[in-house]
Amino acid sequence: MLMMKKILFSPLLGLGLLLSPLTAGAETIPPQQAWQHLFEADLPGGGLLFHTYGETEPLVLEHLGTEENGVSRYRSRSGAEITLRTSRAAEGYGQVEVSVTQNGKEPLLLEPELVCRFPRGDQHWFDGFAEQSQPQGRDEICGTLPFVALYDGKHGTALGLNPNDLASDFRSRLSEEEGSYRLSFSSRMVIAPGKTETRRFILFSFTPDYGYLNAIGEYQRFFPAVFEATPGIHPETHGPLLGGLAWRTQNDRYLGKDPKYNQKISDVIRWMGGGWEWCYAGFGYRPGDWLCTEEETGNWQMPEKGKRIAFTERFNMTAAEYLRQHQEAFERIEPFGIASMMYIIPNYCEEELARERYPDSIYYDDQNKPRSAGPPWVVQHDRSLQMYPYGNSFGDYTLEAIKTIVTRSDIAGFAFDCIDRARYPYHGPGVERSPGQAYDDKGRIFVNSEIAHAKFGEAVHDLHRDGLTMALTGNFRGDTGSYLAARVLDAILIEHSPWDERPLAQNVRYLMGRKSITWLRGFERLPQITERKGEALVEMMDTLTSYTILQGLRLGIYPNFRYVTGNPRLIHYMQVFNDLFRHYQWNPVPGATAPGELWLTRYGYGADGVLAVGNPTAAAVKGELQPASRYFGAATTAWIDYEGRQSLTNRMTGADPTIGFELPRGKALLLAAGLSSQTPFRGEITAQRTRQPDRSHTDRWSFTSPARQAWSVRDVPGYRVGEITLNGKPLEAEVAGSEHRFQVGEGEQVVTVRYLPEIALPDTGALANLPFLNEKKEAGFAVEIPADTAIYRHQAQKLVSFFSNYVLGMADPDKVLPVPVVVRGEAPPEAAVQVVLRENPGAKRTEITVNGSTVTVTGSSPNHLAKGLNALLDVLQDVYPHYGLLQVHEKSSPADHRALEPSLFQQNTDQTYLPWKQP
Amino acid sequence: MKPYLLLLLAIVTLGTRPALADELEAKVPYLADIASAGWDFDAPPWKKAGRVDHLAKMGAVTMLGVSFHEEARQPTTIHLARDRDALYFGFDCADPDAKNLEKSGAATESEGFPEGDRIELYLEGDQASRQAYYHLAFNVAGARYRALQHNRVETGSWSVRTRFLKDRWQAIVRIPYADIGLDPAQAEMRGMFYRMYRPDDRENGREQTTWGGRGVHQWSALGLLKLEPIP
C-alpha cells in the first residue's frame, strides 16, 4: 500500500515558480523539518505553493522559524505573515492550516495550492464532481465535493479542504508532466489589511476497493457534523418532505381548516411515515418583512394589475390578523406530530421594500443589474429582488428576525427556498464582514452567495424551542448548489422527478451524506401523462413506480407524497424507505460487488447493514452478489432477504460469501446482514426470513458446521432479538450491547432468530375478527382517549379517517363515519369494540393488546401513543380490503391503478398539492 | 387529417436505455457562402446545411428500457452550417398564428431574459473541460441574451434576424466563434436547442420543445454537433 508517509513533501523538492496568466508571483513553501512529523518521509515533487494576484514581484517568503509543535512562520517582503500548522487528526487525515495576516495597506489576493506528484501509471482521477477520463482542471464548486483523489487498484491519495471552512472558491487540476501526474488543490482567499484569514487543507490516503467512493466514505467519516443532521433537531426532520400536505390544509390562507381534509391527510402522513413540512410563506405576506409588521406589510400599498391597493383592503384584515392565521395554522399542525418548517427566503426581498430599506444588500450581477425574480413569486403577486443576507442591513435584520419568529411560532425550524445559489458571486456591502472571500480572474473580490446562506444556517442551529434545536431545510440541486449550503442543511427537497438528471442527484447525495432527501416531483411531468388512459396509463405508472423505487434505493431519496398516495406499491415501500433511510442510513461505500449493470447501494455503517440491488435495465439479470465481510465488522457475514421473499444461499469459499440471484427488470433485492462470526467459515449457509403479520420476523439459518464455532446476531434498527433456537431448542446467548453471541457445534445446524418490533403488536387474527364495522358498514367501535387534548382528539380522528375514507371509500365528507369518542373517566359508549388509548409514563415499550373486544394502545407519551396507533392502523390496513385515496375520490373501485383518470393528474399539478379534487 | 393533428398522436417507443449525448447527432457542414444566404432553407446554400428536425416536448424520459416522449405540436426545423468565422443556425418554426406573433415580444435587451416566444441555444464552445456551456437566447422580436451557464455575460456580437409568414416564423442566427470561445479547428462540439411556444398560454397552447425532448441547462443532455473542417 502506498503509505501516507511516502507521498508528500520532500525537503529536497524544488517545484520552482508556478506562473500563470493570473499569477504575477508565486512562491513555493519548501517543506520544513516540522512537517515531517506529519508526513514522515518524502515523495519528490510535492509542496505548498502560494500564488498571488496583482503583485509585480514574486511573493518571496522568509522562513522565520519552526517550532517543535510543527508551527512554521514565514514573512513576505510586503509584510504578510504566514503561519503553517500541520497536524494529524484522530480520524486519520493530515491537515495543513494556512493562516495569513496582511500587514500591507492593500488586500492580499492569495491562492495557496497544495500539490502532489505521482509516477504516472494506471491511475483513476476523481475531481470532486465525477471520475474523469483525462487530466483537466475544475474551478466549479457547484455539485462538487471539496477534495480530489488519485488512485489505482490498490492505493489512493486525496487532498482538499476541511469542509468546515467556508470558502467561496476552490479549484483543482490534474496535469501530466514529464512522466508524472501533478495533482493540485487550491483555494483563493482575500486578506484585508490588518486581518488574518485561515484555510485548512487536508490530505488522506484510502484503500480504493470501490474507487473514489472509498474516498467519499472517508471524507464523510472525518466530518460527521457536515454530513449528518444537526443533533437535537425534531426527529421527523429525518423523514420525508410532506410538501405542503398538512400546511395548506390547516391554513386559512390556502384551503381553510376543513375537517374533511384532516380526515384524509392523516392516512397519507401515516403512509409517508411522518416527515417534515414545507410551511409556505409562513412568515407572512411580503418577502423581506419576515415579522409581518403593520409598518411594512399592513400599510403597504401593493401594486396589482397596474394599480395600487392597500394590503388591508386586499385582504380585509390587518397584518397582525393575517399573521395570526399563519400562527394558528402552526398550532393546528402540531397534533400531526410532524416537523413544521417555516418557509423563508432570506436571499430575496420584495422589490420596493428592498430599494427603500435595504439598498445596500441588493445583489447586482456582472452587468451591474439587480436580479429580479419577477412575478409571480413567493405569494404569487410580488416582484422580489435577489439579496445577499449577511454582513449588511438586510442580513443583520434577517438574523434578528428569526430569533423573534422562533420565539413566537410553533415551528421546528426553517425551510429556506432557493438556498442553492452557489453560482452567484456577490460584490456589494456585506463582503467585508463575510468569511471565505475570494477573487475572480479579473481580481474582483467577491463572496459566494451561499456564504451568507451558510451563516444563516449556523444562526438557525443556534436557536432552540421546546428543547429542540432549530433545523434548516431547503431545496437544493447539484448544478446550482455547493457544499456551503449542503453543510448546514438538515434535510432537502429536490424540485425534480426521480428520472431527471438535471439536479445531479448523485452529487447531491454525496454532498448531503446521510441527511434526508425527497423528490418534489412525481408523475405529473411525465410526457402525455394527462392524455393516457387505461392500460397505457397503467404501464406508465407501473414503470415509474418501479423506477422510483430503484432510484430511491440507489440514492436514498424519498418520493413525493402525491405519488405515494393511492399507490399501494409505494405505500408499502415507504416503510422500507423509512427503515433504510432513517435508521440504517445511506453509505457511499457499497462494501460489496454486483454485476455492473445493476445498482448497488449499502445502508448502514456497522455490522447490521442492508444491501440494495436494483435492476434498471430492460431485461432480467442473473448474477452474483459478493459482500466484503470486513466492511461489516466480521470475518464472515451471511446475508438474508430483507423482505423475506426468497431463500438465499450464501456460498462461503473464504471469508466472503457469494450469493447467486436472478433479478427481474425493474425489481430490487434487499439483503440484510445477519449471522456473523469472527472466524472464517467455509461451506454454504441457507437463509430464509419469514415475516409475520404482527411485524415480527424470524430468520432461519441452515448450514453444516465443520467445527465448533462462535456466531452472533444483532438487534437491528426498530427490532430487538427475541428467542434464538438451535436445532429447535431454545439457545442461551451471551448478550453484549446489541450483539447476541452463541456457540454452534459440529454437524448440520439450524439456527432461528426471532426479531420483535419495538412496538409490540397483537395477533392479527384477533384484530381481524373484531367487528370494527358491522354488516351495514356502520362503525362498530368507540374510542377512549386519555385526556381532552388536541393531539388525542387527533389520534381518535385518525381511526375515523381510516375507516371512513380508506376502508369504506366515502368521498362525501358529510358521510363521515360517526364514531363516539370519550375522554377517560367518562361513561363508555355502547359499542362492539372499544379502542382505548392509555398513557403510561412508566411504559418501557409501546404496545397494542387485544383483550376480548377491547383494543388497548399503551405508550409512555402522546408521541409514543401516536406511533402506536399508526402501527395499529398499519396492521388494520393489511386486514381490511381498502381503497387508495385517488380511487376513493373518483368513486371507482379497483384498488390498483386501472381506474385512474387523467383529470386526477391534472389536478395534482395545481397549487393545492392535494391528491384529490377540491370542492 | 391535417398534419398537425397527426402530431397529436402519442409516440411511445420501446427500446434500450439511450446513452445520453451520443444518441443525438447533427452535422454542421462548412458552406463558404452561407453568410449571404437568404431565407429559403430549401435553396442553396441552406439546402446543403445540416438539419435537426426532431424537437420533441421537453421531458422525454427512458425508464427500465421504456422511452416516454411526445412529439411537438408545433414542429421546428433547424438548419446548421458554418463558415470561416461563425456558426449559422436557420430556425423554421411552425406557428399557425405567426403573423400576430410579430407584434408580441419585447425587443429590448436591457431587462433580463428575452420574454415571449423564443429560441434558446446551449453550446459547449470552449467549456468542454468544465462540462459547461454557453446559453444564448433570443425572442421573436430579436432581443438577445448570453450567459455562461446561469451567469449572464455581455451579450456579444452574435446576431439574429427574424421574419414572419402566415403559418411559421423563421430566424437566422450567426454566432461568431469568439462569442462561445470555439476553436475553429475543433471537430465537434456539444449543443442543445430549445423552443418556447406561447409561454403565456399555460392552459392550452404553451409548449416547450427540445432536441430529443431532453432537458436544458444540463451538460450531460447535450447532443453532438459534428463540425466539418474548414478547408
Side-chain angles (χ1 to χ4, degrees):
Chain A
M1 176 180 173
L2 187 67
M3 300 298 289
M4 174 69 86
K5 67 180 183 180
K6 290 199 172 187
I7 59 176
L8 295 166
F9 300 104
S10 164
L12 304 174
L13 68 85
L15 277 178
L17 295 181
L18 180 69
L19 294 169
S20 75
L22 306 178
T23 311
E27 173 71 284
T28 303
I29 291 277
Q32 304 300 313
Q33 290 294 320
W35 294 43
Q36 292 186 31
H37 86 276
L38 176 62
F39 304 118
E40 296 179 9
D42 64 273
L43 179 80
L48 186 65
L49 283 77
F50 287 90
H51 307 264
T52 57
Y53 184 93
E55 297 287 335
T56 54
E57 294 181 358
L59 183 77
V60 176
L61 295 176
E62 176 190 359
H63 182 212
L64 301 180
T66 298
E67 300 165 13
E68 286 186 358
N69 59 6
V71 176
S72 299
R73 301 183 193 283
Y74 302 84
R75 184 166 55 209
S76 76
R77 257 185 217 168
S78 62
E81 293 178 16
I82 297 177
T83 302
L84 302 181
R85 290 182 177 83
T86 57
S87 58
R88 182 183 290 277
E91 292 82 1
Y93 64 91
Q95 180 165 283
V96 183
E97 181 182 300
V98 180
S99 291
V100 185
T101 302
Q102 168 62 320
N103 296 318
K105 293 181 179 176
E106 298 294 326
L108 176 61
L109 311 187
L110 193 66
E111 182 181 347
E113 181 186 32
L114 197 53
V115 177
C116 289
R117 286 175 195 263
F118 303 87
R120 191 177 158 193
D122 187 21
Q123 288 112 322
H124 299 266
W125 138 246
F126 173 71
D127 66 356
F129 179 79
E131 183 174 335
Q132 303 296 352
S133 58
Q134 58 189 10
Q136 63 188 40
R138 184 171 180 82
D139 59 5
E140 172 66 68
I141 77 170
C142 287
T144 309
L145 284 164
F147 76 87
V148 295
L150 190 74
Y151 52 96
D152 57 21
K154 293 182 178 177
H155 315 296
T157 303
L159 48 160
L161 198 63
N162 184 321
N164 287 303
D165 279 6
L166 300 182
S168 294
D169 171 274
F170 62 78
R171 51 195 63 221
S172 62
R173 177 167 292 279
L174 180 72
S175 52
E176 296 177 55
E177 292 178 1
E178 299 171 354
S180 68
Y181 279 131
R182 178 186 188 276
L183 180 64
S184 73
F185 186 95
S186 63
S187 177
R188 291 179 176 179
M189 54 198 294
V190 176
I191 307 96
K195 301 286 186 182
T196 299
E197 293 291 332
T198 299
R199 284 283 191 285
R200 290 173 292 179
F201 296 95
I202 69 159
L203 312 90
F204 61 95
S205 60
F206 62 97
T207 304
D209 291 337
Y210 305 99
Y212 67 85
L213 295 176
N214 286 93
I216 293 176
E218 287 293 89
Y219 193 70
Q220 293 184 349
R221 181 177 67 82
F222 297 153
F223 305 104
V226 173
F227 296 103
E228 296 176 24
T230 308
I233 60 174
H234 195 299
E236 289 304 320
T237 312
H238 307 302
L241 163 77
L242 294 167
L245 173 69
W247 173 250
R248 288 175 184 273
T249 55
Q250 300 304 302
N251 192 323
D252 293 329
R253 285 259 54 82
Y254 299 99
L255 293 178
K257 48 183 189 300
D258 189 326
K260 63 180 176 290
Y261 292 116
N262 296 4
Q263 294 162 19
K264 294 171 180 172
I265 59 176
S266 59
D267 280 320
V268 181
I269 291 174
R270 177 170 57 82
W271 294 333
M272 294 299 287
W276 58 277
E277 180 62 305
W278 185 267
C279 300
Y280 208 83
F283 60 83
Y285 188 77
R286 192 180 188 188
D289 180 20
W290 309 129
L291 299 176
C292 195
T293 62
E294 295 298 340
E295 181 186 5
E296 305 294 359
T297 297
N299 297 333
W300 186 26
Q301 296 289 317
M302 301 161 46
E304 189 166 276
K305 296 179 180 175
K307 297 178 181 176
R308 292 275 174 179
I309 183 169
F311 175 90
T312 48
E313 184 182 344
R314 172 73 170 74
F315 293 102
N316 195 28
M317 66 178 71
T318 65
E321 288 166 338
Y322 187 94
L323 176 63
R324 192 176 307 129
Q325 291 188 340
H326 283 336
Q327 301 286 72
E328 290 171 355
F330 284 116
E331 291 164 14
R332 283 197 289 271
I333 287 179
E334 171 139 41
F336 290 90
I338 59 181
S340 299
M341 303 298 172
M342 178 185 279
Y343 174 97
I344 196 165
I345 185 161
N347 50 348
Y348 283 88
C349 182
E350 188 278 318
E351 182 171 10
E352 294 175 356
L353 183 60
R355 292 190 187 281
E356 183 182 330
R357 293 288 300 271
Y358 312 110
D360 64 313
S361 311
I362 295 171
Y363 174 91
Y364 286 85
D365 65 16
D366 278 355
Q367 308 300 303
N368 205 28
K369 294 171 184 165
R371 277 181 55 84
S372 170
W377 194 233
V378 173
V379 276
Q380 300 295 309
H381 82 286
D382 54 303
R383 180 185 288 273
S384 288
L385 296 182
Q386 187 169 331
M387 309 291 280
Y388 182 78
Y390 186 75
N392 48 27
S393 64
F394 191 62
D396 291 346
Y397 158 69
T398 297
L399 295 188
E400 280 302 311
I402 59 173
K403 294 177 185 173
T404 303
I405 289 172
V406 169
T407 302
R408 74 186 188 186
S409 300
D410 198 359
I411 59 175
F414 292 89
F416 189 149
D417 196 6
C418 301
I419 192 172
D420 51 352
R421 287 295 183 268
R423 294 196 178 280
Y424 296 106
Y426 175 75
H427 302 91
V431 167
E432 300 83 1
R433 285 163 56 189
S434 294
Q437 298 169 32
Y439 55 94
D440 63 18
D441 290 353
K442 295 176 182 174
R444 292 179 301 180
I445 296 170
F446 73 95
V447 282
N448 188 302
S449 290
E450 281 190 10
I451 294 278
H453 305 176
K455 297 305 290 183
F456 179 87
E458 291 173 0
V460 167
H461 291 146
D462 284 341
L463 300 175
H464 303 274
R465 180 186 171 92
D466 298 334
L468 292 176
T469 297
M470 291 295 100
L472 184 69
T473 63
N475 52 353
F476 184 88
R477 288 172 24 178
D479 56 339
T480 51
S482 80
Y483 86 104
L484 293 165
R487 172 179 163 272
V488 292
L489 283 162
D490 296 304
I492 63 163
L493 63 92
I494 300 178
E495 282 194 52
H496 286 270
S497 305
W499 63 81
D500 203 328
E501 296 195 7
R502 179 175 161 187
L504 303 174
Q506 183 165 292
N507 293 65
V508 170
R509 176 46 83 193
Y510 294 160
L511 288 166
M512 287 294 289
R514 306 185 189 191
K515 297 182 278 194
S516 168
I517 306 177
T518 306
W519 294 109
L520 181 65
R521 309 285 180 205
F523 49 78
E524 69 275 16
R525 291 192 177 181
L526 272 177
Q528 298 179 303
I529 190 70
T530 59
E531 287 143 34
R532 287 171 166 254
K533 292 185 178 180
E535 290 298 327
L537 184 60
V538 171
E539 181 208 11
M540 177 180 272
M541 296 300 285
D542 279 351
T543 302
L544 176 57
T545 299
S546 298
Y547 195 79
T548 299
I549 289 171
L550 296 189
Q551 276 282 36
L553 292 171
R554 182 169 83 99
L555 298 171
I557 303 181
Y558 290 107
N560 181 274
F561 79 86
R562 283 171 288 159
Y563 189 38
V564 174
T565 303
N567 188 330
R569 283 174 66 198
L570 278 179
I571 289 172
H572 162 75
Y573 234 87
M574 283 306 295
Q575 293 185 7
V576 177
F577 284 155
N578 273 295
D579 190 24
L580 297 182
F581 301 173
R582 288 191 192 218
H583 302 135
Y584 286 89
Q585 301 187 319
W586 190 89
N587 190 327
V589 183
T593 55
E597 65 269 39
L598 301 181
W599 288 343
L600 171 63
T601 301
R602 172 186 173 192
Y603 288 89
Y605 285 78
D608 55 354
V610 173
L611 293 170
V613 189
N615 179 3
T617 73
V621 173
K622 200 171 184 177
E624 292 180 334
L625 182 77
Q626 293 180 308
S629 293
R630 66 183 181 283
Y631 278 84
F632 301 92
T636 290
T637 298
W639 297 76
I640 198 163
D641 183 347
Y642 169 95
E643 297 184 277
R645 293 171 188 238
Q646 60 182 297
S647 172
L648 295 176
T649 299
N650 295 260
R651 284 186 286 112
M652 311 282 200
T653 55
D656 300 334
T658 298
I659 303 159
F661 62 88
E662 182 169 357
L663 200 53
R665 162 189 175 271
K667 297 295 182 187
L669 173 63
L670 302 179
L671 296 104
L675 196 63
S676 66
S677 176
Q678 295 304 328
T679 306
F681 176 86
R682 291 180 185 277
E684 287 189 353
I685 300 178
T686 302
Q688 173 74 59
R689 171 168 291 182
T690 306
R691 287 193 175 271
Q692 309 295 341
D694 65 359
R695 306 299 160 100
S696 69
H697 62 258
T698 301
D699 292 355
R700 186 176 191 275
W701 306 92
S702 308
F703 53 97
T704 301
S705 180
R708 188 172 180 79
Q709 185 164 345
W711 293 91
S712 65
V713 293
R714 286 172 176 75
D715 299 333
V716 295
Y719 291 87
R720 61 184 175 82
V721 171
E723 186 183 50
I724 304 176
T725 69
L726 176 62
N727 299 324
K729 296 177 181 176
L731 185 153
E732 285 295 324
E734 175 193 346
V735 180
S738 63
E739 191 174 6
H740 300 248
R741 300 169 183 157
F742 50 88
Q743 297 279 331
V744 172
E746 190 178 331
E748 290 190 8
Q749 310 290 348
V750 176
V751 175
T752 68
V753 184
R754 185 157 186 239
Y755 291 85
L756 303 171
E758 282 176 350
I759 297 176
L761 297 168
D763 173 26
T764 50
L767 276 174
N769 292 329
L770 291 176
F772 281 91
L773 298 175
N774 62 27
E775 292 177 352
K776 297 178 181 175
K777 301 294 183 187
E778 295 167 337
F781 65 98
V783 186
E784 179 190 299
I785 55 178
D788 192 7
T789 63
I791 189 168
Y792 285 130
R793 289 277 174 199
H794 181 78
Q795 299 313 311
Q797 190 62 43
K798 281 173 19 182
L799 273 164
V800 176
S801 157
F802 176 83
F803 284 103
S804 298
N805 297 286
Y806 195 46
V807 177
L808 295 177
M810 290 180 175
D812 186 344
D814 294 334
K815 292 183 180 176
V816 167
L817 204 62
V819 175
V821 178
V822 299
V823 179
R824 183 177 171 83
E826 296 177 356
E830 287 188 15
V833 179
Q834 300 285 339
V835 179
V836 178
L837 304 186
R838 179 148 298 156
E839 187 175 327
N840 177 4
K844 292 183 179 177
R845 194 178 177 209
T846 302
E847 64 179 358
I848 303 163
T849 56
V850 178
N851 187 2
S853 61
T854 301
V855 180
T856 305
V857 183
T858 308
S860 60
S861 68
N863 186 38
H864 283 93
L865 271 175
K867 290 186 183 306
L869 192 61
N870 277 352
L872 172 64
L873 291 172
D874 285 346
V875 174
L876 290 173
Q877 182 174 288
D878 291 343
V879 170
Y880 280 87
H882 48 260
Y883 297 79
L885 285 187
L886 286 173
Q887 290 83 357
V888 168
H889 170 70
E890 289 299 291
K891 300 181 181 177
S892 51
S893 57
D896 60 18
H897 291 138
R898 291 172 198 280
L900 297 183
E901 291 298 327
S903 62
L904 288 166
F905 297 106
Q906 290 174 327
Q907 198 63 48
N908 285 331
T909 62
D910 73 13
Q911 285 295 318
T912 68
Y913 288 82
L914 288 173
W916 48 84
K917 192 176 288 183
Q918 292 182 81
Chain B
M1 186 180 287
K2 293 179 181 178
Y4 71 85
L5 288 177
L6 279 173
L7 293 169
L8 284 172
L9 297 175
I11 295 180
V12 176
T13 57
L14 292 174
T16 56
R17 185 175 173 79
L20 279 181
D22 295 329
E23 191 182 73
L24 298 178
E25 188 173 311
K27 291 180 180 171
V28 185
Y30 171 79
L31 301 175
D33 53 350
I34 191 67
S36 57
W39 285 103
D40 188 351
F41 294 130
D42 293 326
W46 281 116
K47 198 172 182 180
K48 296 178 183 174
R51 274 174 71 112
V52 168
D53 52 10
H54 288 104
L55 293 203
K57 280 192 181 178
M58 195 163 71
V61 56
T62 299
M63 296 181 292
L64 311 180
V66 182
S67 172
F68 300 98
H69 68 269
E70 187 174 357
E71 294 295 342
R73 285 183 290 117
Q74 305 299 337
T76 305
T77 302
I78 307 165
H79 306 266
L80 310 92
R82 68 183 306 196
D83 65 10
R84 291 197 173 277
D85 306 313
L87 294 167
Y88 294 81
F89 300 95
F91 291 88
D92 190 19
C93 308
D95 188 326
D97 197 22
K99 273 295 180 188
N100 284 327
L101 192 65
E102 188 172 3
K103 301 166 191 167
S104 70
T108 176
E109 293 179 1
S110 60
E111 289 293 327
F113 197 70
E115 296 178 348
D117 284 56
R118 65 178 181 274
I119 298 286
E120 298 179 26
L121 300 94
Y122 298 79
L123 301 173
E124 197 179 47
D126 60 355
Q127 297 295 308
S129 66
R130 296 182 62 236
Q131 298 189 347
Y133 49 83
Y134 291 88
H135 179 202
L136 284 71
F138 65 92
N139 66 11
V140 291
R144 298 166 305 151
Y145 166 94
R146 187 171 71 120
L148 188 53
Q149 291 180 278
H150 296 269
N151 290 335
R152 185 170 190 171
V153 295
E154 289 178 7
T155 309
S157 60
W158 64 291
S159 60
V160 178
R161 288 183 289 150
T162 57
R163 74 164 182 167
F164 301 87
L165 305 174
K166 182 183 175 187
D167 61 350
R168 62 191 55 248
W169 66 278
Q170 296 175 323
I172 295 178
V173 178
R174 179 182 185 274
I175 302 174
Y177 298 137
D179 274 16
I180 54 172
L182 183 70
D183 177 354
Q186 238 170 271
E188 58 185 37
M189 171 182 73
R190 297 189 184 279
M192 177 53 59
F193 307 101
Y194 165 97
R195 178 185 172 193
M196 167 61 91
Y197 171 80
R198 298 293 188 270
D200 299 327
D201 188 4
R202 289 179 180 240
E203 290 297 317
N204 302 308
R206 175 181 161 132
E207 183 174 83
Q208 300 178 79
T209 51
T210 61
W211 192 12
R214 291 187 182 170
V216 295
H217 278 300
Q218 184 177 339
W219 180 86
S220 63
L222 303 181
L224 191 63
L225 301 175
K226 305 283 274 187
L227 307 174
E228 185 180 331
I230 299 172

